[in-house]
Amino acid sequence: MLDIFIIGGGPIGLTCGLAAQKAGLSFVIVEKGTLVNSLYNYPATMTFFSTSEKLEIGGVPFVTVHNKPTRNDALEYYRRVALSNSLPIHLFEEVTEVKYEDGFYTITTKKATYQAKKVILSTGFYDIAVNLNIPGENLPKVKHYYQDPHYYTLQKVVVVGSSNSAIDVALETYRKGAEVTLVIRGSEVSHRVKYWVRPDILNRIKEGSIKAYFNSNLEAIRENEVDIQTPDGLITIPNDFVMAMTGYKPNFEFLKKLGIILSEDKFIPQYNPETMETNMPGLYLAGVVCGGLDTHLWFIENSRVHADMIINDIVEKK
């Protein structure tokens, strides 16, 4: 019987493990992919908005020569934190069922069965893409995830979206020789785009290096072309790849399966903001999973505190 079962081996799941370890509680961290799986699947060229000290966990300094840490910096840091603290982590082990009865939880994974007094859910949101729900979205040329710009050299690329991921893809593929077209639902590039990147994309659009359609939507995708609904009507342009950078969402079905109540509009889970405990007794949320569809509200630097809030509550009740 464990004190805590932690679902998710990302930065916040690791932070919860470090706090549990400090409090002398027994626990295990189970992750369905590799260590910090979401970060691993970020673009190879990705740079964080936050500075390194805001990404630190467990009081371990995050030392980097870059002003803004890169994906590789973060992978190295979180791996070293996990290994140097000998955190009990089980990787490539997906949780399939969580049952609450008789005052404790029974957790079933694809490899084993566990029992724990408390459960912390820290699963992030990067595994499920928000779909466009248009004809042709299932074609192989449509990508919801992006790794490296070289792949798109000399290709006609349509990028859907106006936030950080979309703008990074547009600029990076353009600079590797792609012909880039941006399709943006709103009237301008999002103001949440990194402050040192936004002027770059605005200048590329202004000079015509990157074509942008504002107040527009991608309507249909075919093997060699796409339809775009613009304020001036429907247009069709040649196309090789569609990068649908439309965002990601938590696994709401899994949350419902656990018995967590979600709001009807943005699927925000019900929890106590002072303890992070949900409507299910002894089941806590940590990290971006707390935000429902508002995935931009929580990130590493402002959700690290969830770990101490949760562990303090568990210790007090114990």
Side-chain angles (χ1 to χ4, degrees):
M1 177 67 72
L2 295 165
D3 289 319
I4 307 172
F5 187 93
I6 302 171
I7 305 175
I12 304 305
L14 297 181
T15 308
C16 291
L18 292 168
Q21 187 178 66
K22 186 177 179 181
L25 301 174
S26 62
F27 68 97
V28 66
I29 301 171
V30 173
E31 164 61 52
K32 72 176 182 179
T34 187
L35 186 68
V36 290
N37 192 65
S38 293
L39 293 188
Y40 178 77
N41 287 305
Y42 281 176
T45 53
M46 182 258 189
T47 299
F48 281 87
F49 186 93
S50 305
T51 52
S52 59
E53 70 271 10
K54 294 181 179 179
L55 302 175
E56 293 176 355
I57 62 174
V60 180
F62 185 171
V63 180
T64 173
V65 296
H66 304 110
N67 181 38
K68 307 283 187 180
T70 65
R71 164 188 172 273
N72 287 342
D73 290 332
L75 291 178
E76 181 70 12
Y77 171 72
Y78 292 118
R79 180 179 62 81
R80 285 180 175 268
V81 169
L83 296 182
S84 62
N85 286 278
S86 301
L87 295 177
I89 304 173
H90 299 182
L91 300 175
F92 301 100
E93 184 172 347
E94 185 176 357
V95 173
T96 57
E97 190 173 42
V98 179
K99 281 188 175 180
Y100 179 73
E101 56 185 0
D102 299 327
F104 64 89
Y105 285 90
T106 300
I107 304 99
T108 304
T109 74
K110 289 187 175 180
K111 294 183 178 180
T113 300
Y114 305 82
Q115 290 183 330
K117 299 170 187 174
K118 311 288 184 182
V119 171
I120 300 175
L121 187 67
S122 181
T123 48
F125 70 101
Y126 198 61
D127 291 329
I128 302 176
V130 175
N131 289 326
L132 294 166
N133 296 318
I134 61 173
E137 187 172 10
N138 60 340
L139 289 171
K141 73 174 194 174
V142 181
K143 313 290 183 184
H144 286 278
Y145 295 89
Y146 162 77
Q147 278 294 315
D148 187 272
H150 172 83
Y151 189 79
Y152 303 98
T153 298
L154 300 177
Q155 302 300 292
K156 293 178 174 61
V157 177
V158 166
V159 181
V160 182
S162 71
S163 291
N164 278 296
S165 56
I167 301 309
D168 283 345
V169 170
L171 288 170
E172 290 179 11
T173 54
Y174 155 69
R175 292 200 163 97
K176 295 299 182 183
E179 181 183 318
V180 178
T181 301
L182 264 171
V183 179
I184 296 174
R185 184 172 54 185
S187 60
E188 60 180 341
V189 173
S190 171
H191 285 275
R192 292 205 298 268
V193 171
K194 289 170 281 197
Y195 65 84
W196 65 93
V197 173
R198 195 169 188 274
D200 190 1
I201 188 64
L202 294 179
N203 286 328
R204 302 295 73 74
I205 292 171
K206 184 177 180 180
E207 71 186 16
S209 300
I210 293 175
K211 176 66 176 177
Y213 291 98
F214 294 97
N215 299 308
S216 302
N217 291 289
L218 196 62
E219 289 290 307
I221 304 167
R222 293 180 290 278
E223 196 64 49
N224 299 307
E225 61 186 14
V226 298
D227 294 336
I228 305 171
Q229 185 65 54
T230 76
D232 297 323
L234 188 69
I235 64 168
T236 299
I237 63 171
N239 172 257
D240 298 307
F241 289 97
V242 172
M243 307 300 294
M245 301 291 104
T246 47
Y248 309 93
K249 60 184 179 181
N251 190 337
F252 297 126
E253 291 306 313
F254 184 63
L255 293 180
K256 291 177 184 177
K257 192 176 176 182
L258 298 183
I260 298 173
I261 297 172
L262 307 178
S263 68
E264 293 184 4
D265 52 352
K266 295 187 176 181
F267 300 100
I268 296 173
Q270 187 177 109
Y271 66 93
N272 182 336
E274 295 181 359
T275 65
M276 308 309 294
E277 187 174 17
T278 68
N279 58 283
M280 293 295 293
L283 175 55
Y284 298 81
L285 299 179
V288 74
V289 72
C290 303
L293 287 174
D294 288 335
T295 54
H296 63 280
L297 295 180
W298 295 104
F299 30 92
I300 297 172
E301 67 178 70
N302 72 345
S303 58
R304 296 176 298 178
V305 296
H306 293 169
D308 286 335
M309 294 164 66
I310 293 168
I311 300 304
N312 287 343
D313 189 60
I314 290 174
V315 170
E316 286 179 10
K317 289 177 178 176
K318 188 178 180 182

